[in-house]
């Protein structure tokens, strides 16, 4: 009887651990390319483990890359896969060269992804895309993606906070200091949270892409609100 009781406890504990293991996601870095490609370089994290969670995460990452490589209206991107979007980008460049054979302008695209925070509750990933289609300068854009670690679903910024207004009030002094340190001329009385917000090891990072709130020459504006200031307003715990 003593043996049977302990066996039942052990089996129950094993099942519990196995179920928890299924929820865990591991990331590996992969390089994505196609044949006949010489101008697009993509290095991104790929989620592995629980198939449902991994599929949600990987699909969103892929959609972000497809959008970045589309040189038309990003919301109207028609490619069904990253590989297809790479081929489309190369084909459009070849068409450009054929139409303007004497031009010295070159196209290139570099897209890199990084897991910047991971816990049992939330995963934050940064996608940095630099795309140059021969203009005066290329386009640099950083996207933060936040995922529910238990489901793989994207977490909207509004769902990161219990009280967005209170967090905004807490974040503003850090924004003001960043603007002052960079010697940027902005109306700091008007302050809106950026579209890119994510967890990091040091705190909540807020990032404004080029041209989002300031001229191109200003570049990216980025700052961190430490967890000891942000924690009262966060839905997901920081570890």
């Amino acid at each position: 009887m003593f043996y049977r009781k302990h066996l039942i406890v052990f089996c129950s504990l094993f099942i519990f651990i196995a179920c928890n293991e299924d929820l865990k996601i591991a990331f590996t870095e992969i390089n994505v390319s196609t044949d006949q490609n010489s101008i697009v370089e993509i290095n991104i994290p790929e989620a592995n483990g629980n198939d449902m969670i991994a599929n949600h995460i990987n699909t969103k990452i892929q959609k972000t890359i497809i959008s970045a490589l589309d040189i038309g209206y990003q919301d109207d991107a028609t490619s069904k896969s990253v590989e297809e979007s790479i081929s489309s980008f190369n084909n459009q460049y070849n068409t450009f060269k054929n139409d303007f054979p004497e031009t010295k302008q070159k196209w290139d695209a570099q897209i890199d992804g990084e897991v910047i925070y991971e816990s049992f509750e939330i995963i934050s990933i940064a996608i940095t895309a630099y795309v140059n289609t021969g203009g005066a300068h290329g386009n640099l854009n950083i996207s933060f993606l936040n995922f529910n670690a238990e489901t793989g679903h994207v977490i909207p910024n509004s769902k990161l906070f219990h009280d967005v207004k209170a967090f905004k009030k807490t974040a503003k002094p850090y924004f003001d200091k960043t603007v002052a340190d960079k010697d940027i001329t902005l109306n700091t009385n008007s302050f809106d949270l950026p579209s890119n917000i994510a967890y990091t090891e040091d705190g909540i990072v807020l990032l404004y892409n080029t041209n989002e709130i300031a001229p191109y020459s200003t570049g990216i504006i980025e700052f961190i609100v430490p967890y000891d200031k942000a924690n009262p307003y966060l839905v997901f715990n920081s570890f």
Side-chain angles (χ1 to χ4, degrees):
M1 181 65 71
F2 179 82
Y3 171 78
R4 288 184 62 191
K5 285 183 178 178
H6 279 71
L7 179 61
I8 292 172
V9 171
F10 175 80
C11 290
S12 299
L13 180 60
F14 177 82
I15 292 171
F16 175 77
I17 292 173
C19 290
N20 278 336
E21 285 294 322
D22 286 343
L23 293 176
K24 290 184 179 179
I25 289 293
F27 289 92
T28 56
E29 182 178 290
I30 62 169
N31 174 270
V32 186
S33 188
T34 63
D35 295 336
Q36 309 300 321
N37 169 53
S38 61
I39 60 176
V40 179
E41 179 73 21
I42 297 177
N43 300 288
I44 54 172
E46 180 179 65
N48 301 280
N50 180 288
D51 288 342
M52 180 190 71
I53 299 172
N55 286 340
H56 286 314
I57 293 173
N58 292 332
T59 297
K60 181 58 180 179
I61 291 174
Q62 291 162 12
K63 286 182 178 179
T64 302
I65 294 169
I66 290 169
S67 178
L69 285 176
D70 188 83
I71 62 174
Y73 293 101
Q74 293 186 343
D75 291 339
D76 297 331
T78 58
S79 296
K80 303 300 183 183
S81 68
V82 174
E83 290 80 5
E84 186 178 334
S85 66
I86 293 172
S87 295
S88 176
F89 190 87
N90 276 269
N91 290 338
Q92 289 182 74
Y93 173 58
N94 290 331
T95 298
F96 170 76
K97 284 202 306 180
N98 290 333
D99 291 343
F100 304 97
E102 310 220 342
T103 184
K104 295 182 179 179
Q105 293 180 339
K106 293 187 177 181
W107 290 17
D108 65 284
Q110 175 76 41
I111 301 177
D112 297 297
E114 177 187 7
V115 178
I116 58 177
Y117 187 87
E118 185 175 7
S119 74
F120 290 109
E121 294 188 356
I122 187 169
I123 299 167
S124 295
I125 294 176
I127 305 291
T128 302
Y130 175 80
V131 178
N132 180 8
T133 55
H137 50 71
N139 180 41
L140 175 65
N141 188 81
I142 298 175
S143 301
F144 291 155
L145 306 175
N146 297 297
F147 299 95
N148 186 313
E150 294 185 353
T151 66
H153 292 147
V154 173
I155 304 169
N157 288 345
S158 61
K159 301 299 184 182
L160 294 175
F161 309 104
H162 293 296
D163 189 334
V164 175
K165 288 184 179 179
F167 175 78
K168 182 178 175 180
K169 184 176 180 180
T170 299
K172 189 175 186 303
Y174 295 92
F175 170 77
D176 292 343
K177 185 177 186 307
T178 300
V179 170
D181 289 346
K182 292 174 69 77
D183 196 23
I184 303 170
T185 303
L186 288 176
N187 178 14
T188 56
N189 292 325
S190 176
F191 172 63
D192 293 314
L193 296 178
S195 58
N196 285 295
I197 303 173
Y199 278 59
T200 70
E201 294 300 324
D202 299 319
I204 301 299
V205 59
L206 295 91
L207 183 146
Y208 300 87
N209 275 299
T210 303
N211 288 328
E212 188 171 345
I213 60 170
Y216 178 87
S217 58
T218 301
I220 289 171
I221 299 174
E222 180 181 13
F223 61 94
I224 288 178
V225 180
Y227 283 122
D228 61 343
K229 303 296 183 183
N231 274 335
Y233 316 112
L234 299 179
V235 171
F236 300 92
N237 293 320
S238 60
F239 298 95

